[in-house]
Amino acid sequence: MNNNRILVADDEHLISSMLCFRLEKAGYVVETAASGGEALQKFHDFKPELVILDLYLPDAFGLDLLATMREDDVNLPFIVITASSFADLAVKAFKLGAVNFFGKPFNVEKVVQGVTQSLKEKQKKDVESIAMERRKKTTPDQMIGNSPKMVDVFRLVNVCASTDAKTVLITGESGTGKELVARAVHQYSARAGATFVEVNCAAIPENLIENELFGHERGAYTDASKMQKGIFELANGGTIFLDEIGDMPTTMQTKLLKVMETKRFRRLGGEGEVETDVRIIAATNQDLPQLVADGRFRGDLYYRLNMLNICIPPLRERIEDIPALVQYFIQSLNAEYSKRVELVSSEALEDLRSYSWPGNVRELRNVIERAMMLEKGKELTHFHLCKETPRNQQSLELPPSNYTVFPVDDRHCFAGFQLPPEGISFEEVEKQLITLALENANGNQSKAAKSLKMSRDTLRYRLKKFGISEYADQTSCSVLKDDVPSDLKRERYNDPKWANC
């Protein structure tokens, strides 16, 4: 059931009854009106989510009703139906906000399809509007820091926002928060009420990026069944954030420069030009001057983008901001995961300060989030944090014996220790874990096997395999019983030292 409310305003009883029957069959809640006055009354009482409106009612002209209703709800979709074939009426209806126009006689199924499509688009816009409002309320607060370099960033954000500069370039390493800065520039500016659209230039295939930016006309290519607006048209009056601008194809760089200079563009397959008024904020973690020197980025586009440049410092250059960032992440993650962490131990905080943070603020947030998943109390300690292993450290640092080991959501980190850059022997890790389990069990193989979730015979085989003679016994052949996993049997059969078994 759709349960969307639809108002049908038509004085022809047969038509309104037919539409009402078909829409209710599709699951909609429908009210009908036979006059302009009745339509206005039901509009206020029924509060429809879509209106099907006849242009000629006994006491009102449909376009006047449309304009009146739109004053109360500017996002309300209208479908206009009329026996008149005048094209200028359709044009006026679309200008006033109609989403579809059908001449009588019409195909009822097509009207129902139009209703369904219009409501889907309305729902999508409503969701985007709510998301934008949420970002407007929360994003600026995420820019944390009082270090001198971050104070300079905040100052430049205010300058860019107040001057309405048409181009802003944000540079900085990956994970420093370039998108947050871009959103802050938009939200502090006079364009805050308009659209903010993000485009990742590295994520869109080269053959699709022009269509994404400029849209296309119907029939522009094989699958272009209808006209589609591009981002430059949808963001008119707002801001376009071009992330990873250094990865934009050179052919698109030329077209982007032309749009920036003329404020006009053509849809794919189109003949007429479309005007646009957007602010462009570009971001990159690459060295654009070097790309220009290498011939991989247009110099004139770089100079055009570089009107105002905000360079975000890496986290290692503003270590004094780490305590405030950690506290902010703890507060937000407490709310997200229903945790009650209150503080970080001084030892753990010192670990965070001494790390180089190649992943910057993004990596710091991931570390805090991972640690909070492991902690059940109110304090994070250094055992909960995934510490960087020194390059010259060959052995793996294991957590304390009373610490629960389990995988966490990070491809480089495992429950309190991290893979060294040069790699590590998996067999050595397994050997250390077995040794630790036996030490905790005071040499009791059954207890050690249980703590490692393996059978006693499997543990005894591992002891033989790794030569851990301190805990091994001499019953080497007995480990070939039926309860031993088949993969271990195959491994032993291929090993010459098991040949006599």
Side-chain angles (χ1 to χ4, degrees), residues 5 30 94 163 237 244 252-253 277 331 388 406 424 426 435 457 468:
R5 299 180 302 278
V30 186
F94 285 125
T163 56
E244 305 296 348
M252 277 306 304
Q253 293 176 25
D277 172 28
Q331 291 176 357
E388 174 73 357
F406 61 93
I424 196 167
F426 179 78
T435 303
D457 284 341
I468 307 177

Side-chain angles (χ1 to χ4, degrees), residues 122-134:
K122 180 180 184 297
Q123 183 181 23
K124 182 179 178 181
K125 289 179 181 179
D126 290 343
V127 170
E128 290 175 350
S129 178
I130 292 172
M132 186 175 70
E133 289 299 318
R134 186 177 298 151

Side-chain angles (χ1 to χ4, degrees), residues 431-446:
K431 180 179 178 180
Q432 288 191 41
L433 286 172
I434 290 174
T435 303
L436 177 61
L438 286 165
E439 289 176 354
N440 291 342
N442 295 320
N444 188 309
Q445 293 183 7
S446 296

Side-chain angles (χ1 to χ4, degrees), residues 139-140 142-143 170 176-185 241 361:
T139 301
Q142 296 176 14
M143 294 178 60
I170 303 174
T176 51
K178 295 186 287 295
E179 181 187 350
L180 293 180
V181 172
R183 290 188 182 277
V185 170
F241 175 47
V361 179

Side-chain angles (χ1 to χ4, degrees), residues 1-7 23-24 26-31 46-50 115-116 118-120 122-123 126:
M1 294 293 287
N2 297 296
N3 292 324
N4 293 107
R5 299 180 302 278
I6 299 174
L7 175 61
L23 290 168
E24 287 181 343
Y28 298 106
V29 180
V30 186
E31 284 283 346
F46 182 53
K47 299 187 183 305
E49 296 168 83
L50 182 141
V115 168
T116 302
S118 299
L119 288 172
K120 284 183 179 179
K122 180 180 184 297
Q123 183 181 23
D126 290 343

Side-chain angles (χ1 to χ4, degrees), residues 475-493:
T475 56
S476 57
C477 293
S478 65
V479 300
L480 288 177
K481 294 180 179 180
D482 291 339
D483 61 340
V484 179
S486 59
D487 60 328
L488 298 184
K489 290 182 181 179
R490 287 194 297 269
E491 186 175 343
R492 294 168 192 167
Y493 288 142

Side-chain angles (χ1 to χ4, degrees), residues 87-250:
D88 59 331
L89 289 177
V91 173
K92 289 179 181 179
F94 285 125
K95 285 184 177 180
L96 288 172
V99 296
N100 220 324
F101 190 96
F102 291 96
K104 296 179 180 178
F106 53 79
N107 186 311
V108 177
E109 292 302 322
K110 288 188 176 181
V111 174
V112 174
Q113 290 174 8
V115 168
T116 302
Q117 183 62 34
S118 299
L119 288 172
K120 284 183 179 179
E121 292 177 359
K122 180 180 184 297
Q123 183 181 23
K124 182 179 178 181
K125 289 179 181 179
D126 290 343
V127 170
E128 290 175 350
S129 178
I130 292 172
M132 186 175 70
E133 289 299 318
R134 186 177 298 151
R135 287 194 297 265
K136 286 170 66 175
K137 293 178 181 178
T138 60
T139 301
D141 295 337
Q142 296 176 14
M143 294 178 60
I144 307 296
N146 53 16
S147 62
K149 290 189 176 183
M150 284 306 295
V151 170
D152 287 341
V153 170
F154 299 149
R155 179 181 58 81
L156 286 172
V157 167
N158 288 328
V159 169
C160 294
S162 60
T163 56
D164 194 34
K166 290 297 186 291
T167 55
V168 178
L169 180 62
I170 303 174
T171 56
E173 296 179 5
S174 178
T176 51
K178 295 186 287 295
E179 181 187 350
L180 293 180
V181 172
R183 290 188 182 277
V185 170
H186 172 74
Q187 292 165 17
Y188 291 144
S189 72
R191 298 176 180 265
T195 306
F196 178 94
V197 183
E198 178 185 356
V199 181
N200 189 322
C201 300
I204 304 176
E206 183 174 352
N207 61 329
L208 297 180
I209 190 168
E210 182 175 1
N211 183 64
E212 187 77 12
L213 294 179
F214 304 136
H216 63 258
E217 296 287 355
R218 179 179 179 181
Y221 50 87
T222 304
D223 296 327
S225 58
K226 63 179 181 178
M227 186 274 287
Q228 179 178 305
K229 295 180 180 180
I231 288 172
F232 269 89
E233 198 166 352
L234 295 171
N236 190 31
T239 302
I240 297 177
F241 175 47
L242 298 176
D243 198 10
E244 305 296 348
I245 188 70
D247 293 311
M248 177 175 280
T250 53

Side-chain angles (χ1 to χ4, degrees), residues 355 357 362-371 373-374 385-388 406-419:
Y355 181 51
W357 299 110
R362 183 186 295 123
E363 183 183 7
L364 174 62
R365 186 191 189 282
N366 291 341
V367 166
I368 299 301
E369 183 173 9
R370 180 169 51 240
M373 295 301 96
L374 301 175
L385 302 175
C386 183
K387 299 185 295 180
E388 174 73 357
F406 61 93
V408 293
D409 188 17
D410 188 285
R411 66 179 60 185
H412 301 299
C413 179
F414 179 80
F417 53 83
Q418 188 175 14
L419 286 174

